[in-house]
Amino acid sequence: QVQLVESGGGLVQPGGSLRLSCAASGSIVNINAMGWYRQAPGKEREWVASAISGGITNYADSVKGRFTVSRDNAKNTVYLQMNSLKPEDTAVYYCNANIRGRITLAYDYWGQGTQVTVSS
């Protein structure tokens, strides 16, 4: 019954900015962590950034200093602020969350993905 809904993807020029959002809904007891992955055409899915409970954040080296991940716990939402975007950032971005439900142990859920295209 847990669902992740992503929004904010689109087309942006190199050097531009974009903000992705991912809201979790359903019978949620606790969200241990939320984060973002991306997958470019012909490539494997790679980890981008994570926000762990307690305010801890981590970033892949390729986006460090340009992307910022944050959580709004009251809204069960994670954001990815992407600045100084490069063509190589073009990918489908997926929201991921480790969530415990009322009658289930914690495991990972995934959003359906949102397309980010960086091109002039």
Side-chain angles (χ1 to χ4, degrees):
Q1 290 184 281
V2 174
Q3 185 177 7
L4 303 181
V5 179
E6 300 154 324
S7 62
L11 175 65
V12 65
Q13 294 183 336
S17 298
L18 209 59
R19 191 192 192 202
L20 306 182
S21 299
C22 174
S25 62
S27 300
I28 299 171
V29 174
N30 179 258
I31 300 179
N32 298 308
M34 301 186 77
W36 296 91
Y37 288 71
R38 67 185 182 186
Q39 187 168 21
K43 297 183 179 180
E44 295 185 349
R45 187 173 301 186
E46 64 174 343
W47 169 76
V48 175
S50 296
I52 305 172
S53 61
I56 301 174
T57 59
N58 295 283
Y59 301 91
D61 289 339
S62 59
V63 306
K64 193 173 299 181
R66 300 187 298 120
F67 290 11
T68 302
V69 63
S70 60
R71 286 177 62 178
D72 186 336
N73 293 327
K75 298 181 179 180
N76 289 331
T77 300
V78 65
Y79 305 93
L80 185 67
Q81 178 66 47
M82 303 183 294
N83 299 325
S84 302
L85 284 163
K86 305 174 181 179
E88 50 263 44
D89 294 319
T90 296
V92 177
Y93 283 71
Y94 296 90
C95 178
N96 168 264
N98 186 263
I99 299 174
R100 182 190 176 188
R102 291 184 180 273
I103 60 173
T104 61
L105 297 175
Y107 70 92
D108 286 351
Y109 294 85
W110 293 89
Q112 75 284 352
T114 183
Q115 177 70 48
V116 172
T117 302
V118 184
S119 176
S120 60

